[in-house]
Short mmCIF file of all heavy atoms in Angstrom, two decimals:
data_model
loop_
_atom_site.label_atom_id
_atom_site.label_comp_id
_atom_site.label_asym_id
_atom_site.label_seq_id
_atom_site.Cartn_x
_atom_site.Cartn_y
_atom_site.Cartn_z
N GLU A 107 106.42 69.63 88.57
CA GLU A 107 107.89 70.09 88.43
C GLU A 107 108.10 70.87 87.16
O GLU A 107 108.75 71.87 87.09
CB GLU A 107 108.81 68.83 88.42
CG GLU A 107 108.84 68.21 89.81
CD GLU A 107 109.62 66.97 89.92
OE1 GLU A 107 110.31 66.60 88.89
OE2 GLU A 107 109.51 66.16 90.77
N TYR A 108 107.42 70.46 85.99
CA TYR A 108 107.71 71.01 84.66
C TYR A 108 107.01 72.49 84.81
O TYR A 108 107.64 73.40 84.36
CB TYR A 108 106.96 70.30 83.58
CG TYR A 108 107.13 70.76 82.24
CD1 TYR A 108 108.22 70.57 81.48
CD2 TYR A 108 106.17 71.73 81.73
CE1 TYR A 108 108.34 71.15 80.25
CE2 TYR A 108 106.38 72.32 80.58
CZ TYR A 108 107.51 71.93 79.70
OH TYR A 108 107.59 72.57 78.45
N LEU A 109 105.84 72.51 85.45
CA LEU A 109 105.15 73.81 85.58
C LEU A 109 106.07 74.79 86.34
O LEU A 109 106.33 76.00 85.82
CB LEU A 109 103.86 73.62 86.36
CG LEU A 109 103.01 74.82 86.62
CD1 LEU A 109 102.33 75.33 85.28
CD2 LEU A 109 101.95 74.58 87.76
N TYR A 110 106.56 74.38 87.44
CA TYR A 110 107.42 75.27 88.23
C TYR A 110 108.79 75.63 87.48
O TYR A 110 109.06 76.76 87.46
CB TYR A 110 107.77 74.63 89.57
CG TYR A 110 108.44 75.48 90.54
CD1 TYR A 110 107.79 76.37 91.35
CD2 TYR A 110 109.88 75.59 90.58
CE1 TYR A 110 108.47 77.26 92.10
CE2 TYR A 110 110.50 76.50 91.33
CZ TYR A 110 109.75 77.30 92.19
OH TYR A 110 110.50 78.17 92.99
N ASP A 111 109.34 74.64 86.87
CA ASP A 111 110.62 74.99 86.18
C ASP A 111 110.38 75.82 85.06
O ASP A 111 111.24 76.73 84.71
CB ASP A 111 111.23 73.59 85.68
CG ASP A 111 111.73 72.73 86.78
OD1 ASP A 111 111.96 73.27 87.93
OD2 ASP A 111 111.99 71.56 86.38
N ASN A 112 109.33 75.78 84.43
CA ASN A 112 109.11 76.64 83.19
C ASN A 112 108.23 77.93 83.37
O ASN A 112 108.31 78.81 82.50
CB ASN A 112 108.36 75.84 82.11
CG ASN A 112 109.33 74.86 81.53
OD1 ASN A 112 110.03 75.13 80.66
ND2 ASN A 112 109.24 73.63 82.05
N TYR A 113 107.67 78.12 84.57
CA TYR A 113 106.80 79.20 84.76
C TYR A 113 107.25 80.14 85.97
O TYR A 113 106.89 81.19 86.04
CB TYR A 113 105.33 78.91 84.96
CG TYR A 113 104.75 78.54 83.71
CD1 TYR A 113 104.83 77.09 83.34
CD2 TYR A 113 103.98 79.29 82.85
CE1 TYR A 113 104.14 76.75 82.12
CE2 TYR A 113 103.30 78.88 81.81
CZ TYR A 113 103.50 77.53 81.39
OH TYR A 113 102.78 77.13 80.21
N SER A 114 108.01 79.49 86.94
CA SER A 114 108.37 80.22 88.13
C SER A 114 109.12 81.48 88.07
O SER A 114 108.75 82.51 88.73
CB SER A 114 109.15 79.31 89.13
OG SER A 114 110.36 78.89 88.59
N ALA A 115 109.95 81.59 87.04
CA ALA A 115 110.76 82.88 86.86
C ALA A 115 109.82 84.04 86.44
O ALA A 115 110.03 85.12 87.02
CB ALA A 115 111.91 82.59 85.87
N ALA A 116 108.99 83.73 85.51
CA ALA A 116 108.06 84.85 85.12
C ALA A 116 107.04 85.16 86.17
O ALA A 116 106.76 86.27 86.41
CB ALA A 116 107.36 84.35 83.73
N ILE A 117 106.57 84.19 86.90
CA ILE A 117 105.64 84.44 87.92
C ILE A 117 106.28 85.14 89.07
O ILE A 117 105.74 86.06 89.60
CB ILE A 117 104.95 83.15 88.44
CG1 ILE A 117 104.15 82.50 87.23
CG2 ILE A 117 104.01 83.49 89.58
CD1 ILE A 117 103.02 83.39 86.66
N TYR A 118 107.46 84.84 89.43
CA TYR A 118 108.25 85.55 90.36
C TYR A 118 108.43 87.00 90.10
O TYR A 118 108.30 87.87 90.87
CB TYR A 118 109.61 84.96 90.57
CG TYR A 118 110.50 85.69 91.55
CD1 TYR A 118 110.29 85.47 92.99
CD2 TYR A 118 111.42 86.47 91.28
CE1 TYR A 118 111.10 85.98 93.87
CE2 TYR A 118 112.28 87.19 92.06
CZ TYR A 118 112.04 86.98 93.45
OH TYR A 118 112.80 87.68 94.46
N GLY A 119 108.71 87.31 88.80
CA GLY A 119 108.86 88.65 88.26
C GLY A 119 107.43 89.46 88.50
O GLY A 119 107.55 90.62 88.87
N VAL A 120 106.37 88.82 88.29
CA VAL A 120 105.11 89.55 88.53
C VAL A 120 104.89 89.83 90.09
O VAL A 120 104.59 90.92 90.55
CB VAL A 120 103.91 88.62 88.04
CG1 VAL A 120 102.57 89.20 88.49
CG2 VAL A 120 103.93 88.56 86.49
N VAL A 121 105.18 88.80 90.91
CA VAL A 121 104.96 88.98 92.31
C VAL A 121 105.98 90.01 92.87
O VAL A 121 105.40 90.79 93.73
CB VAL A 121 105.26 87.56 92.92
CG1 VAL A 121 105.32 87.73 94.51
CG2 VAL A 121 104.23 86.54 92.51
N VAL A 122 107.26 89.90 92.56
CA VAL A 122 108.24 90.91 93.17
C VAL A 122 107.86 92.36 92.75
O VAL A 122 108.13 93.24 93.66
CB VAL A 122 109.66 90.48 92.84
CG1 VAL A 122 110.06 90.93 91.45
CG2 VAL A 122 110.64 91.03 94.01
N ARG A 123 107.27 92.44 91.52
CA ARG A 123 106.91 93.83 91.20
C ARG A 123 105.80 94.45 92.14
O ARG A 123 105.71 95.66 92.39
CB ARG A 123 106.41 93.92 89.77
CG ARG A 123 107.46 94.28 88.79
CD ARG A 123 106.86 94.37 87.37
NE ARG A 123 107.66 93.62 86.41
CZ ARG A 123 107.30 92.52 85.95
NH1 ARG A 123 106.22 91.87 86.22
NH2 ARG A 123 108.10 91.88 85.09
N ILE A 124 104.88 93.63 92.61
CA ILE A 124 103.82 93.93 93.54
C ILE A 124 104.25 94.02 94.92
O ILE A 124 104.11 95.07 95.49
CB ILE A 124 102.54 92.98 93.27
CG1 ILE A 124 102.11 93.10 91.85
CG2 ILE A 124 101.46 93.38 94.28
CD1 ILE A 124 101.07 92.03 91.52
N VAL A 125 104.95 92.98 95.47
CA VAL A 125 105.23 93.06 96.86
C VAL A 125 106.52 93.76 97.21
O VAL A 125 106.66 94.17 98.32
CB VAL A 125 105.31 91.63 97.45
CG1 VAL A 125 104.05 90.91 97.20
CG2 VAL A 125 106.49 90.80 96.85
N LYS A 126 107.38 94.02 96.19
CA LYS A 126 108.50 94.74 96.38
C LYS A 126 109.61 94.24 97.46
O LYS A 126 110.30 95.02 98.09
CB LYS A 126 108.30 96.14 96.64
CG LYS A 126 107.29 96.82 95.75
CD LYS A 126 107.87 98.08 95.09
CE LYS A 126 106.74 98.82 94.24
NZ LYS A 126 106.20 98.10 93.30
N SER A 127 109.53 92.91 97.68
CA SER A 127 110.40 92.29 98.70
C SER A 127 110.70 90.94 98.15
O SER A 127 109.75 90.13 98.02
CB SER A 127 109.71 92.32 100.16
OG SER A 127 110.47 91.26 100.95
N GLU A 128 111.98 90.65 98.11
CA GLU A 128 112.37 89.26 97.59
C GLU A 128 111.89 88.24 98.50
O GLU A 128 111.46 87.06 98.06
CB GLU A 128 113.88 89.23 97.32
CG GLU A 128 114.22 90.05 96.06
CD GLU A 128 115.72 89.88 95.69
OE1 GLU A 128 116.25 88.87 96.00
OE2 GLU A 128 116.17 90.79 95.07
#
Side-chain angles (χ1 to χ4, degrees):
E107 289 173 16
Y108 183 89
L109 178 75
Y110 187 85
D111 289 345
N112 288 279
Y113 290 84
S114 62
I117 298 302
Y118 178 79
V120 171
V121 172
V122 81
R123 270 188 224 101
I124 295 171
V125 300
K126 309 234 185 308
S127 161
E128 289 187 24

